[in-house]
């Protein structure tokens, strides 16, 4: 303590203690997209990797593949799948040869996607259903399996035949079943074996009897083959510091290795397959598209070209109604895969790329649309073909090692800024596969601190991978989505979710990753102004709860939503002090949203200003003076006043807004000591709703704090306690931040533990359920709030440190005022710190119960 008091700044050691490698790893391939597959991304492109040995699936996305328009939110769309199949041993493509239609996008492709959570469902109109599968090069089948669909047992297959052919003309009967009972349950698997000694390139199931008179459904069809050599030492791993996914295993005396990464410098996804034995790789590469695009193969390239014309989002489903009806917002899209080999050969075969006896295979994936983030251009630019061609040609001309080096260097410029050690890692736990660590955490009395640290870095990894300058912001699932009818449209929800996505951007030292959010908001302003003027007859603009890339906004109006997104905009300036950004991006929006509330606020008889007919998402009645609205308007007005002061502009309007802020209805304490959610004192102490909308003044706002407004902070604590510690993943993540703002580290850690135990999937995705990425981002922000706060005009070190993190260190966190903070602690006491900023400045510092003024250093 004496040493700390004697000096202004204590330099940390150059190397912090390592708390284990920042990587996820697993001992088996993934079979479930949401729970097990692992994400890679370069912001524009996202991909989920399964790590299958005989058949690898890379499900991919491109950030601008949206349906919708300036009125309707629409939905973010999955692009398709890239399959790499080895030894020509599996079905590569399928079709419904009998031609029945598939409602709601439940297409025949879902019958071989490896996921029992999807299904193939169609209207059979009392006709046989014919499933036709193709495997160029032939395949010896002696068994098959069906997995039942998710509902309606009467739609299960009852009678069928299986036949094989090599020319699609002559068919050999292989197996036959009649009057089979329905499956005993949903997502149940039945396997059937038969004798066969001949390879066939085509297999045909004819389903005669389906039980239901109108529909047939099945979740999965698997065609078996003789088992290959045993696999040992399987490992798939996602390195969070380098952004590289690897798969390694040994089979038949050959060691196989794969490396996958989404390169931001190159703009493409790169997949490399190697083995330690020459000529060990043979198989097929194929593309699958979810929007009926045209797939073509030429030389060493696969291409799919299509249009979103006719697709709309209705009743929770993306549907193609009329592909020929002109629609100005329909985007044109394209994806390409290029292949390079060392040794052996590659050639086009049946719309696929066949590689034979190669030493290595490197694939390059790119995709795009004609979307341009500019309303003046009608949201459309040039077709994506030329850009894709250029990026692929450039990437394929570079040595693989250079591509990887450039990617790692670029990624580590961001990932390497923050290192965190929350205590000594348990070596035994750290050596376990990640899914086992998650499972153990749920039942262990002694928690896995290394896993908590890993989840912190995982949140940073996901933000780096889904939100880079020049792109679109991270949505409800970042950039990873496997459906054309995703949960909640996979959109930009403005009643907490998109705001939470960017809570860690500044404090976790990823400021650049925030910029897509600011650019998107700036681009949709005119759309929102028109809709707001029509609905409210005001200046300025606001939003509904659901929002798309064209500015379309649906579901309920959340009038304070624009004030909440404006808070994120102000925070970027508060941390970076970037005057150009404030002038050109944030200030225009802050002023416009202030104009909306200037016109919208209502005066009570005593002159108090309240938001009329407000809403406390997603909870309670619509009425005047809802606390959520009042607090966010206070925050907006406060931020606008500081923004005008920082730029030295609009003095008269600045003073007007400051005066209106001082007339706003203030937070009220209710009859049981709670912070009131409404102007009327009606809060129920037994209410455990997931939203905590009346606590935005505590976090992420700054109107309430234990140090400045202790009575209100105590009331917020009463409300937070009454709401309980449970609820959805994102709600728990918010509660971590709220308890940290209340300076209660042990209660914040209790929520940390419950979030990891109850809301983290084996691949570390947060689940609401289902998967929502905001919980991952909210958790990372919450850990930061426990270690560092700076929202009250001072830098507070370890404001909410729990006892379980008694010793540790962190390097690279950011404080408001453009200050970077390194610190270390022992027994809950700060033992060293370092504050740096581009220009040395005086900083008010709260450390170990003392408040002092210190001077920051240059980095």
């Amino acid at each position: 303590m004496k040493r700390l008091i004697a000096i202004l700044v204590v330099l940390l050691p150059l190397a912090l203690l390592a708390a284990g490698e920042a990587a996820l790893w697993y001992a088996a391939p993934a079979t479930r997209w949401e729970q097990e597959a692992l994400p890679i991304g370069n912001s524009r492109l996202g991909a989920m990797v399964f790590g299958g040995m005989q058949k690898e699936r890379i499900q991919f996305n491109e950030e601008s593949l949206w349906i919708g328009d300036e009125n309707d939110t629409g939905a973010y769309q999955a692009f398709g799948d890239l399959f790499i199949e080895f030894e020509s041993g599996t079905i590569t493509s399928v079709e419904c040869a009998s031609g029945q239609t598939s409602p709601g996008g439940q297409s025949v492709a879902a019958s071989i996607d490896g996921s029992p959570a999807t299904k193939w469902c169609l209207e059979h109109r009392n006709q046989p259903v014919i499933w036709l599968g193709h495997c160029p090069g032939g395949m010896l089948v002696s068994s098959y399996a069906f997995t039942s669909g998710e509902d309606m047992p009467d739609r299960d297959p009852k009678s069928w035949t299986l036949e094989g052919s090599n020319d699609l003309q002559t068919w050999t009967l292989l197996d036959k079943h009649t009057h089979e009972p329905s499956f005993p349950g949903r997502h149940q698997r039945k396997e059937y074996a038969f004798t066969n000694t001949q390879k066939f390139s085509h297999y045909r199931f004819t389903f005669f009897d389906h039980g239901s008179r109108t529909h047939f459904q099945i979740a999965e069809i698997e065609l078996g083959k003789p088992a290959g050599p045993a696999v040992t030492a399987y490992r798939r791993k996602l390195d969070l510091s380098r952004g590289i996914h690897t798969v390694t295993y040994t089979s038949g005396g050959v060691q196989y290795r794969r490396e996958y990464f989404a390169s931001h410098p190159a703009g493409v996804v790169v997949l490399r397959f190697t083995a330690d034995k020459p000529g060990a790789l043979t198989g097929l590469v194929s593309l699958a598209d979810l929007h009926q695009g045209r797939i073509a193969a030429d030389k060493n390239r696969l291409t799919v070209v299509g249009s979103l014309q006719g697709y709309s989002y209705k009743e929770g489903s993306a549907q193609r109604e009329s592909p020929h009806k002109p629609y100005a917002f329909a985007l044109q899209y394209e994806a390409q895969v290029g292949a390079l080999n060392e040794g052996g050969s590659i050639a086009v075969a049946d719309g696929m790329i066949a590689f034979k006896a190669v030493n290595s295979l490197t694939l390059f994936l790119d995709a795009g649309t004609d979307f341009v983030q500019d309303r003046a251009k009608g949201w459309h630019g040039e077709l994506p073909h030329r850009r894709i061609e250029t990026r692929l040609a450039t990437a394929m001309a570079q040595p693989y090692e250079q591509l990887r080096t450039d990617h790692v260097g670029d990624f580590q410029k961001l990932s390497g800024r923050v290192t965190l050690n929350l205590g000594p890692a348990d070596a035994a736990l750290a050596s376990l596969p990640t899914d086992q660590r998650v499972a153990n955490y749920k039942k262990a009395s002694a928690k896995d601190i290394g896993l908590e640290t890993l989840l912190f870095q995982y949140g940073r990894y996901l933000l780096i991978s889904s939100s880079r300058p020049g792109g679109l912001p991270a949505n409800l699932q970042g950039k990873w989505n496997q459906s054309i009818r995703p949960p909640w449209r996979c959109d930009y929800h403005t009643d907490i979710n998109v705001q939470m996505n960017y809570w860690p951007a500044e404090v976790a030292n990823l400021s650049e990753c925030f910029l897509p959010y600011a650019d998107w908001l700036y681009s949709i302003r005119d759309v929102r102004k028109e809709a707001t003027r029509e609905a409210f007859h005001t200046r300025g603009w606001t939003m509904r709860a659901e929002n798309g890339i064209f500015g379309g906004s649906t579901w309920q109006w959340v009038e304070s939503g624009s004030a909440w997104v404006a808070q994120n905009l102000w925070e970027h300036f508060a941390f970076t002090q970037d005057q150009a950004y404030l002038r050109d991006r944030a200030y225009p929006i802050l002023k416009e949203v202030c104009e909306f509330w200037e016109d919208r606020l209502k005066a009570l008889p005593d002159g108090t200003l309240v938001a009329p007919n407000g809403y406390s998402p997603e909870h309670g009645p619509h009425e005047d003076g809802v606390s959520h609205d009042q607090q966010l308007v206070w925050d907006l007005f406060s931020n606008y006043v500081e923004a005008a002061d920082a730029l030295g502009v609009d003095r008269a309007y600045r003073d007007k807004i400051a005066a209106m802020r001082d007339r706003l209805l203030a937070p009220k304490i209710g009859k049981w000591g709670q912070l009131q959610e409404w102007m009327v004192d009606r809060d129920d102490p037994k209410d455990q709703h997931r939203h905590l909308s009346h606590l935005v003044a505590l976090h992420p706002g700054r109107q309430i704090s234990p140090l400045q407004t202790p009575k209100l902070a105590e009331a917020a604590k009463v409300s937070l306690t009454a709401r309980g510690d449970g609820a959805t993943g994102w709600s728990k993540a918010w509660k971590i931040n709220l308890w940290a703002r209340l300076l209660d580290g042990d209660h914040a850690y209790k929520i940390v533990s419950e979030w990891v135990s109850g809301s983290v999937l084996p691949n570390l995705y947060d689940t609401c359920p289902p998967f929502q990425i905001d919980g991952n981002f909210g958790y990372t922000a919450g850990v930061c709030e426990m270690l560092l706060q700076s929202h009250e005009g001072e830098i507070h070190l370890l404001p909410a440190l729990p006892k379980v993190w008694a010793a540790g260190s962190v390097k690279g966190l950011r404080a408001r005022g453009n200050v970077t903070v390194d610190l270390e602690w022992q027994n809950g006491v700060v033992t060293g710190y370092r504050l740096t900023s581009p220009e040395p400045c005086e900083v008010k510092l709260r450390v170990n119960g003392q408040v002092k003024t210190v001077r920051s250093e240059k980095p």
Side-chain angles (χ1 to χ4, degrees):
M1 181 67 72
K2 291 181 180 179
R3 178 173 65 90
L4 181 62
I5 297 173
I7 60 176
L8 294 177
V9 175
V10 178
L11 297 178
L12 289 176
L14 292 177
L16 296 176
L17 293 174
E21 183 183 20
L24 290 67
W25 79 273
Y26 303 82
T31 59
R32 297 176 293 176
W33 184 94
E34 181 181 46
Q35 298 192 11
E36 297 169 350
L38 296 176
I40 58 175
N42 65 3
S43 178
R44 188 176 59 83
L45 297 172
M48 293 289 281
V49 180
F50 285 72
M53 290 165 283
Q54 291 300 116
K55 182 176 183 178
E56 174 64 286
R57 177 190 177 195
I58 309 294
Q59 185 274 318
F60 67 96
N61 298 92
E62 200 277 341
E63 65 179 3
S64 64
L65 195 73
W66 277 75
I67 57 175
D69 53 39
E70 291 183 353
N71 294 307
D72 184 65
T73 298
Y76 183 48
Q77 299 287 280
F79 209 115
D81 293 274
L82 172 62
F83 294 105
I84 305 94
E85 303 167 21
F86 294 92
E87 300 295 333
S88 302
T90 56
I91 293 293
T92 60
S93 61
V94 292
E95 58 182 297
C96 182
S98 47
Q100 288 97 339
T101 59
S102 177
Q106 296 169 343
S107 68
V108 66
S111 66
I112 61 164
D113 66 2
S115 172
T118 60
K119 67 178 178 181
W120 175 37
C121 180
L122 52 78
E123 300 171 1
H124 62 73
R125 302 191 298 271
N126 290 318
Q127 298 297 317
V129 173
I130 301 176
W131 180 97
L132 196 58
H134 310 285
C135 47
M139 175 179 168
L140 180 62
V141 171
S142 57
S143 68
Y144 58 92
F146 297 152
T147 301
S148 57
E150 63 197 19
D151 55 14
M152 306 297 288
D154 63 333
R155 297 178 179 179
D156 291 344
K158 302 294 189 299
S159 300
W160 64 86
T161 59
L162 172 63
E163 301 166 286
S165 174
N166 284 313
D167 58 6
L168 293 174
Q169 301 296 322
T170 303
W171 292 90
T172 300
L173 179 64
L174 300 174
D175 196 35
K176 180 178 180 179
H177 284 263
T178 59
H179 307 302
E180 284 281 299
S182 296
F183 285 76
R186 302 302 86 201
H187 293 176
Q188 297 293 310
R189 185 177 182 275
K190 281 185 180 180
E191 186 167 346
Y192 302 87
F194 56 92
T195 300
N196 177 41
T197 59
Q198 184 178 355
K199 282 187 176 183
F200 292 104
S201 298
H202 312 279
Y203 287 91
R204 181 171 71 185
F205 281 106
T206 303
F207 298 99
F208 297 99
D209 175 21
H210 328 292
S212 167
R213 293 187 299 171
T214 59
H215 286 74
F216 167 79
Q217 75 171 15
I218 198 165
E220 190 73 13
I221 296 176
E222 305 165 63
L223 287 186
K225 62 174 186 174
V231 172
T232 60
Y234 179 93
R235 186 183 184 100
R236 61 185 174 101
K237 171 182 161 185
L238 179 60
D239 185 331
L240 302 183
S241 65
R242 299 191 305 145
I244 291 184
H245 182 293
T246 57
V247 175
T248 56
Y249 62 93
T250 299
S251 180
V254 180
Q255 294 181 2
Y256 295 89
R257 180 177 179 83
R258 307 173 190 171
E259 290 187 338
Y260 310 147
F261 57 88
S263 171
H264 187 259
V268 300
V269 173
V270 182
L271 317 168
R272 184 169 175 84
F273 303 81
T274 60
D276 68 353
K277 177 182 176 182
L281 301 172
T282 295
L284 295 165
V285 179
S286 61
L287 265 178
D289 172 60
L290 294 183
H291 294 90
Q292 304 175 43
R294 178 175 53 85
I295 299 175
D298 181 49
K299 297 180 180 177
N300 65 340
R301 192 75 57 91
L302 299 177
T303 301
V304 58
V305 177
S307 170
L308 296 181
Q309 190 71 252
Y311 282 94
S312 62
Y313 192 87
K314 292 185 177 180
E315 298 177 355
S317 177
Q319 303 173 18
R320 194 176 200 186
E321 296 176 328
S322 177
H324 305 296
K325 180 181 178 181
Y327 189 60
F329 294 89
L331 297 172
Q332 311 300 305
Y333 67 84
E334 181 172 334
Q336 290 192 29
V337 177
L340 294 177
N341 62 301
E342 295 176 5
S345 63
I346 57 174
V348 169
D350 294 332
M352 293 168 282
I353 295 174
F355 55 96
K356 184 175 182 180
V358 301
N359 303 332
S360 71
L361 176 73
T362 308
L363 302 179
F364 304 81
L365 169 66
D366 194 11
T369 74
D370 62 343
F371 173 78
V372 61
Q373 198 171 6
D374 188 342
R375 193 192 190 200
K377 296 179 179 178
W379 306 108
H380 290 273
E382 66 177 11
L383 293 175
H385 178 75
R386 185 182 61 83
R387 298 192 305 275
I388 292 173
E389 285 277 325
T390 299
R391 283 191 293 261
L392 282 182
T394 302
M396 294 172 72
Q398 296 184 59
Y400 171 77
E401 290 74 15
Q402 187 62 52
L403 280 170
R404 182 177 56 185
T405 297
D406 292 347
H407 160 72
V408 171
D410 170 78
F411 200 89
Q412 289 188 326
K413 284 179 182 177
L414 297 172
S415 67
R417 288 177 181 170
V418 176
T419 56
L420 175 66
N421 169 23
L422 295 175
D426 185 313
L429 291 174
S431 67
L432 295 174
T434 304
D435 51 347
Q436 290 187 30
R437 294 178 74 175
V438 173
N440 287 349
Y441 195 100
K442 299 176 187 297
K443 56 189 179 184
S445 56
K447 296 305 180 185
D448 184 347
I449 293 176
L451 181 61
E452 296 162 2
T453 308
L454 185 65
L455 279 157
F456 169 83
Q457 293 292 11
Y458 191 55
R460 297 184 70 248
Y461 169 87
L462 293 172
L463 191 58
I464 296 168
S465 301
S466 62
S467 186
R468 294 278 205 114
L472 287 165
N475 58 46
L476 275 173
Q477 293 180 191
K479 295 291 167 66
W480 300 279
N481 165 38
Q482 69 165 342
S483 176
I484 63 173
R485 49 188 187 282
W488 302 290
R489 302 175 184 253
C490 204
D491 71 346
Y492 302 118
H493 257 52
T494 51
D495 59 2
I496 186 172
N497 311 92
V498 71
Q499 293 93 336
M500 184 183 288
N501 280 4
Y502 287 92
W503 287 351
E506 309 301 336
V507 68
N509 211 335
L510 297 172
S511 286
E512 301 96 319
C513 296
F514 173 79
L515 295 176
Y517 186 26
D519 290 344
W520 170 67
L521 289 171
Y522 194 84
S523 73
I524 65 170
R525 291 158 59 222
D526 288 342
V527 179
R528 301 312 315 143
K529 287 176 188 176
E530 293 172 9
T532 299
R533 186 164 56 248
E534 180 179 350
F536 299 101
H537 310 291
T538 65
R539 297 170 298 157
W541 56 274
T542 191
M543 315 167 88
R544 293 177 183 267
E546 299 175 336
N547 298 272
I549 62 172
F550 305 108
S553 193
T554 47
W555 201 47
Q556 297 196 45
W557 285 100
V558 181
E559 295 170 41
S560 53
S562 58
W564 201 345
V565 298
Q567 180 188 76
N568 292 101
L569 293 172
W570 167 253
E571 290 283 53
H572 182 72
F573 172 75
F575 277 88
T576 65
Q577 301 295 295
D578 184 339
Q579 291 274 326
Y581 157 82
L582 180 63
R583 181 186 65 246
D584 299 336
R585 277 291 183 266
Y587 186 80
I589 295 176
L590 287 166
K591 185 175 182 181
E592 290 166 356
V593 179
C594 282
E595 289 172 344
F596 169 78
W597 285 105
E598 180 189 356
D599 294 352
R600 182 69 175 153
L601 287 171
K602 171 183 175 180
L604 298 178
D606 65 357
T608 300
L609 295 176
V610 295
N613 195 35
Y615 173 55
S616 189
E618 299 168 2
H619 188 219
H622 286 71
E623 62 185 31
D624 296 348
V626 172
S627 298
H628 178 74
D629 293 345
Q630 298 297 133
Q631 295 170 12
L632 283 172
V633 175
W634 185 95
D635 192 81
L636 168 72
F637 286 178
S638 296
N639 294 339
Y640 172 76
V641 167
E642 292 191 29
D645 289 345
L647 294 175
V649 298
D650 289 336
R651 182 69 192 186
Y653 191 65
R654 175 256 184 229
D655 290 345
K656 183 177 184 179
I657 292 299
M660 292 182 69
R661 176 194 60 191
D662 294 341
R663 292 172 56 200
L664 288 169
L665 176 69
K668 299 173 68 176
I669 298 174
K671 57 192 174 188
W672 46 279
Q674 88 282 10
L675 191 71
Q676 289 182 204
E677 188 165 0
W678 298 277
M679 186 165 59
V680 177
D681 188 359
R682 68 160 66 89
D683 301 79
D684 180 356
K686 296 181 180 180
D687 180 3
Q688 295 196 336
H689 195 271
R690 64 192 176 279
H691 276 265
L692 304 115
S693 302
H694 57 310
L695 300 183
V696 291
L698 176 64
H699 179 276
R702 50 182 171 142
Q703 189 177 6
I704 296 175
S705 77
L707 298 177
Q708 302 294 329
T709 59
K711 290 183 179 179
L712 289 174
E714 182 60 31
K717 182 178 181 180
V718 170
S719 291
L720 185 56
T721 302
R723 281 287 161 93
D725 296 335
T728 61
W730 63 261
S731 179
K732 292 175 189 173
W734 191 6
K735 290 171 183 175
I736 297 169
N737 289 269
L738 288 164
W739 282 109
R741 284 285 178 92
L742 288 170
L743 309 182
D744 190 336
D746 288 329
H747 204 132
Y749 182 77
K750 181 177 184 291
I751 312 296
V752 165
S753 180
E754 294 189 5
W755 178 74
V756 180
S757 297
S759 301
V760 171
L761 297 171
N763 61 1
L764 301 192
Y765 268 164
D766 167 82
T767 181
C768 182
F771 161 49
Q772 279 188 204
I773 205 167
D774 45 15
N776 290 104
F777 294 142
Y779 168 79
T780 296
V783 172
C784 292
E785 288 288 335
M786 295 166 75
L787 302 178
L788 175 70
Q789 294 178 17
S790 61
H791 58 287
E792 295 185 278
E794 65 184 30
I795 295 176
H796 191 172
L797 304 184
L798 303 185
L801 186 74
K803 294 183 180 66
V804 71
W805 296 344
S809 58
V810 65
K811 181 178 181 181
L813 294 185
R814 299 274 288 161
R816 293 163 181 83
N818 201 14
V819 177
T820 301
V821 179
D822 304 342
L823 67 145
E824 57 186 12
W825 63 94
Q826 290 286 336
N827 299 318
V829 175
V830 175
T831 56
Y833 60 84
R834 186 184 185 208
L835 311 180
T836 60
S837 56
E839 296 296 330
C841 59
E842 299 295 316
V843 175
K844 185 178 179 182
L845 182 70
R846 184 179 295 269
V847 54
N848 294 337
Q850 296 183 345
V851 180
K852 59 177 72 176
T853 299
V854 302
R855 190 168 181 80
S856 65
E857 301 179 353
K858 279 196 170 185

